[in-house]
Amino acid sequence: MPMPDSELMQLAIDAASNARTLTAPNPWVGCAIRSADGSTYVGATEPPGQAHAEIVALNAAGSQAAGAVLATTLEPCAHTGRTGPCTEAIIEAGVRRVIIGIEDPDVNVAGAGIAQLRAAGIDVGVGVKADEITAQLASYLHHRRTGRPYVILKLAATVDGRTAAPDGESEWITGVAARTDVHQMRAESQAILVGAGTVRADDPSLTVRLVDGPDPRRIVLGAAPTNAKVHPCTEWVGPLPELLDELGADGVLQLMVEGGANVASEFHDAGLVDRYVIYLAPAIFGGNDAHPLFVGAGTPTMAELRRGRFLSTAMLGGDLRLDISLD
């Protein structure tokens, strides 16, 4: 019995996940091919300048690609950039049917890949596991639609919303599993940002250490001490929207904001946060003298309260991760 389209696409999604930290500013795409005899071949996008997922899978399939079904998480490119058009390779390989998760909003693609494949007589279906792939490519899609990086505000707190003891000590509110997850998010982000106050107080390095992956570009709001571990870094003084425009133009797809409370409030108050990732530890300070998640004036009335939705929840060791969007 042939493998269902959804299962073939799941192979492509899994392959894309493995390429998550390697491809920026290109999207992390997965591709899976099912040949006429039922064999499967999988590929994922390689680092910039190297092969796209479709080419990797086609190379793996070889002559078996003729008459095969190809599933790809994102619409194949139809233009020449650092590499040639994937659509031409698919057509030349003799693929019979193409299953596409979602269309690519990039102006160089935007439906052209689908149109080329159909013009060549290939049966093309779009939308298999679209919701899952849209979530997987959220930062890429946001960048291509807005020109700015997808902003994740990461916060760690006790269940009563406190980030540090009254004396300022915050190591460690959460456990090893949650901190490892944070490092994975760093590896998936092309830039990470903190305020100069956090640099002076904690002297963080903001590197990836608990997982394998690249270190993000480091941004400090204000001036970092010359001997701070965060160097080399970009020191920024100016409007946050201008910073996002500059980072987006430099190919930063995802910006991770780590704090502190003043910086968190600046991004929140300006409506610049695309996702809030909050790690809650099963601990309670009590009272009101420990450090809060945000500072300054908040929403003044219930009628003006910004509401959103939980995107996901996960247990990490003894801690709880909450992913929230206020869009």
Side-chain angles (χ1 to χ4, degrees), residues 267-284:
F267 274 86
H268 172 77
D269 292 345
L272 297 175
V273 180
D274 298 298
R275 179 181 296 226
Y276 299 76
V277 177
I278 304 174
Y279 298 89
L280 289 180
I284 299 174

Side-chain angles (χ1 to χ4, degrees), residues 30-31 41 58 64 102 212 266 276 303 318 327:
C31 180
Y41 306 89
L58 286 170
Q64 291 286 82
I102 59 174
D212 292 329
E266 284 187 60
Y276 299 76
D327 57 12

Side-chain angles (χ1 to χ4, degrees), residues 282-320:
I284 299 174
F285 275 112
N288 62 2
D289 54 347
H291 293 250
L293 288 166
F294 300 94
V295 295
T299 304
T301 67
M302 286 299 294
E304 297 171 85
L305 184 64
R306 292 175 61 192
R307 296 184 182 273
R309 56 197 173 95
F310 288 108
L311 300 173
S312 64
T313 62
M315 290 300 302
L316 298 170
D319 303 315
L320 178 64

Side-chain angles (χ1 to χ4, degrees), residues 190-274:
Q190 292 72 56
I192 186 169
L193 180 148
V194 297
T198 295
V199 174
R200 290 191 295 270
D202 300 336
D203 195 19
S205 62
L206 303 181
T207 55
V208 175
R209 301 182 300 281
L210 301 182
V211 301
D212 292 329
D215 292 332
R217 173 181 172 184
R218 292 171 286 190
I219 314 293
V220 175
L221 291 189
T226 56
N227 61 344
K229 295 176 185 175
V230 75
H231 289 293
C233 66
T234 298
E235 297 169 306
W236 179 266
V237 178
L240 293 180
E242 290 183 14
L243 172 62
L244 296 184
D245 289 338
E246 183 174 303
L247 292 177
D250 285 345
V252 174
L253 306 184
Q254 182 167 294
L255 170 66
M256 183 177 173
V257 177
E258 282 220 17
N262 285 297
V263 170
S265 296
E266 284 187 60
F267 274 86
H268 172 77
D269 292 345
L272 297 175
V273 180
D274 298 298

Side-chain angles (χ1 to χ4, degrees), residues 33-41 64:
I33 293 173
R34 182 179 70 241
S35 65
D37 68 2
S39 300
T40 56
Y41 306 89
Q64 291 286 82

